[in-house]
Amino acid sequence: MSYARGTIAALVDAVVPETPAVGDDVQAAGALDIDLDETVETAFNELQEAPEGPIRSLGYETMPFAPLLALLLDVGALELILKREREAPLQSPDERFAGGPFSRLAREDRMRAIRLLEADGVVPGLDETYDAPIGIVAYLMQGALFITAMAAYSDWGDDSERPQGWEQADYPGPADGYAVHMGYEVDEFEENDYGADAEEGDAE
Amino acid sequence: MTGSGADMSDPDVVVVGAGGDAPALAWRLGQQGIDVLLLEAGPFHGNEQFPAPHSERGNTASASTDDLSGDLLDQQFTAREGDMGSPVDGKLRWGPADAERAPWARTVPQTGVISQVAGVGGTTLHYYGNHPRAFVPSINEQPHWPIDYADLVPYYQHLESVHPVKPAPTTPKAELFFEGARRSGYDLTTGLNVEDEGYRPFPNAIHQPDEALRRDGDYDGDFRDVSGDTLACHEHQGGPHPRGADFEERAKRGSLTSLVPKALATGHVEIRPNAFATEVLTRAGPGPLEACGVEYRDTWTGRTRRVFADAVVLAAGCIETPRLWLNSGLPDDGWVGKGLTTHHFDFVSGTFDSDTLEDVIGQRKVEPHQGQAAGSRLDVPGKGGIAVNTFAPGITASVMFSESIDGFAFENDTTGEPWDTHGRVTGTKLKEEMSDYRRMLTLICHTDDRPRQDNGVTLDSATEDEHGPVARIDWSPHPEDDERRDDLARRASKLLDEAGANHIHRAGAAPILLHLQSSMAMGKVLDSGGEALSVDRLFVADHSALANGVGGANPTHTGQALALRTAEHLADRYFDGVSDPIPANPTPASADD
């Protein structure tokens, strides 16, 4: 388990956790049960082709965003810890997690760390100090949550015939059709008059 | 002007992009006998010249409807969410056709999501077939447009008859929405020209369903023996239904299946996929600069070629059209790429208990995955619109619950608000929401956000790909846009509450770059015929040419109407004009009734 993979495991676990207490086998499973950490790591490493320049000359064809994501998550976690904004005690990381500070936060505190990275913390504050697109960090955080949720509830994260997320949503999967036609609220739209109280139509 | 890379073909007009709007322009030019070459950066699905578009290059171009294959479309469009729609490696993404490669880069230095599709048909590959006209006041009363609403009406009418555009059928989820709208006090709108508040079925470019598919009927077939929409709700995954039908008979009238065949049938249109334009070629003209061609790069071979023509049309979308303009060193008076509008979306969902649903719609679940994805709406001219917007679970989880600029639901106090939760939902709460998926109705709010010069596309000179510096997109709402969006979210919540929802969630969505308009606006960068003010023989015919966000109505109808109109201006200015003018329907459409 790499540092990137293990830190991303802590992320996907916080978004779609295993919940054994619900006592329902279908609903109990979490993102890690379908190895969503691997899906998200791969997605981040294949998010974007490497631009012309130093990264490409190091041999990367795509941007190695997964280790960057992991590093950023730890930066956010560290800031949360130093600012004493944690709401739950630090915990021993799950065996599938990496050993950094993000992996040691309780689930909601991991989301608070992301909030610092995209809006409230030191990193977004740099945006006003430096003439650089620091906001890309916020874009990556949004991407991490979007990708995690979409993959967890579709065939993206589980390409079996009946993905776990579809089963949890009770979605039957692609269909050829449904007989649910109930007629028409309007049979035909009409070419109605307009402009009665806007004669000039020119506000310039 | 000559060079070893010169293209063999000799079109009259070269068009950059074959997305949602360009096929309308190409069709209209082709009807006049003008030879048009469209260069499309992405793949061409359902075409025998490109039988495996994501694993091998295939042939070079397609110029005949004989190439279009319903069988190939059925193979390629699986209707599985990730397979079709993963923004990283799905078939409908912003990236090269080659599935082994990563998406193309953009720089977005803020919280947000981009949702564009490269390929013939462009973003209409995953659109919902929604074709409302612009709200009348957004054109006649807002100060942005140099033309009148009446100038667009003949083109709207033309498209409404050819796609065709018809009222969406009522389905259970639509009836739930309608009932919420009625109980909220809104009237039914039946007119095409919208100036006042009201609810209505969506005017959709989706063939109406077969009458055999009545809910109270006894249909028991495999949906291959019906014509029209099968109500499978796979618009976002490409919308290939009904399965087994001829290419042109697919119910969802995206540009790929509706306008592209019409354009090819003129015998004057050729489409070259896998061709990424990298430079607009110009020469000194009698007046200002004059466009004379395009340089492009084959995305499979990397070979660069040039093609010359009497006129050039940019239709690469609101992000790539200005990027190409700027990378070509064309003049910029301050509005190139600027004034971008996005409809500042929000999403509001309601979850219902089964007894309530039984009372209101006669069934115990909403079944969001059945019926047209977006078949009913509420218009609020001056503020925007609210529509039923349903998705399969993956997109529901991501769009509805995982993207927000308002933080996380667990930290947001909603006391006194009409919604129970607000912001991103994660953890056990997300699992609870998603386990209620089939009892959930999801609504989208399209805000009438207004063009501002601060919002839009610039070049990120520090990030360069094989096509040059990439586009950087900055967009943030004006406080007045936020107020309009908030108003819409409150109306959406009230509607869901009136319909009987027992749990309401507001996303507080982050900017989603999906509906994009007005980054090369007519009246700012373009004249009233769609030609660039600073470069002759250069036209723009995509949503970037719109002068604003058409009030928050879905923009495709107006984008295509304007593309038809621009084609006629192009033909008038540089060719022999238009032999068969599109007539306005004689039904009066003016104030002097």
Side-chain angles (χ1 to χ4, degrees), chain B residues 193-224:
Chain B
N193 306 308
V194 174
E195 299 178 285
D196 301 313
E197 284 178 22
Y199 75 92
R200 58 174 168 155
F202 240 121
N204 276 351
I206 303 178
H207 286 312
Q208 291 178 323
D210 201 296
E211 285 298 308
L213 300 185
R214 288 280 180 165
R215 184 176 69 160
D216 54 9
D218 55 1
Y219 182 76
D220 191 28
D222 64 359
F223 299 93
R224 288 167 187 257

Side-chain angles (χ1 to χ4, degrees), chain B residues 459-478:
Chain B
L459 295 179
D460 176 5
S461 54
T463 307
E464 195 165 328
D465 68 10
E466 68 269 32
H467 310 124
V470 307
R472 168 179 168 152
I473 302 104
D474 293 86
W475 188 88
S476 58
H478 187 273

